[in-house]
């Protein structure tokens, strides 16, 4: 794993991580299922790498992003944005709060 792959995740990176996990869990896919589907779209990420993405240890690069969008049949924009279909906060927790369900946090009210 390279140096560039470590360090804190940006909020966009965090959104991707959460969206990928949510989409995977919604489909009841394991890492191996995602790995196989990624290989089919020409972007193999081993299950270990997918697990590292899940925990924020590996950053998703643009090629990963394109492949993940294809695998989950969603748009790249959907992966980058905070989840809007969270039943608890609908993607918009109250200012200053973090949603326990989808891990989206809102900036404190100024
Ligand atoms: Zn939420």
């Amino acid at each position: 794993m390279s140096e560039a792959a470590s360090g804190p995740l940006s909020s966009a990176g965090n959104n991707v991580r959460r969206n990928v996990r949510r989409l995977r869990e919604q489909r009841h896919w394991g890492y191996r299922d995602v790995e196989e589907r990624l290989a089919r779209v020409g972007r193999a990420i081993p299950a270990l790498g997918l697990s590292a993405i899940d925990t924020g240890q590996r950053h998703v690069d643009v090629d990963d992003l394109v492949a993940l969008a294809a695998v989950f049949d969603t748009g790249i924009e959907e992966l980058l944005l905070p989840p809007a279909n969270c039943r608890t906060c609908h993607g918009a927790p109250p200012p200053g709060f973090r949603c326990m369900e989808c891990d989206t946090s809102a900036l404190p009210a100024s």
Side-chain angles (χ1 to χ4, degrees):
M1 202 168 288
S2 70
E3 275 301 305
S6 58
L9 283 171
S10 65
S11 65
N14 246 325
N15 289 341
V16 173
R17 179 177 68 79
R18 292 196 301 255
N19 284 324
V20 166
R21 184 175 55 194
R22 178 175 50 83
L23 290 164
R24 186 175 58 74
E25 286 174 352
Q26 279 171 358
R27 285 162 176 75
H28 304 287
W29 291 352
Y31 296 128
R32 295 285 307 184
D33 299 306
V34 180
E35 178 186 359
E36 282 168 23
R37 284 168 170 85
L38 282 168
R40 269 182 244 156
V41 298
R43 180 73 181 173
I45 303 176
L48 205 65
L50 291 166
S51 140
I53 288 171
D54 236 15
T55 55
Q57 290 171 290
R58 173 181 165 151
H59 288 198
V60 172
D61 70 22
V62 283
D63 292 320
D64 296 340
L65 195 63
V66 170
L68 287 164
V71 159
F72 290 113
D73 193 25
T74 187
I76 288 164
E77 208 173 297
E78 274 75 17
L79 291 179
L80 287 168
L81 295 172
N85 59 353
C86 171
R87 281 173 296 174
T88 304
C89 71
H90 305 284
F97 285 87
R98 175 183 293 273
C99 176
M100 298 298 282
E101 177 75 17
C102 68
D103 206 32
T104 296
S105 58
L107 293 172
S110 53

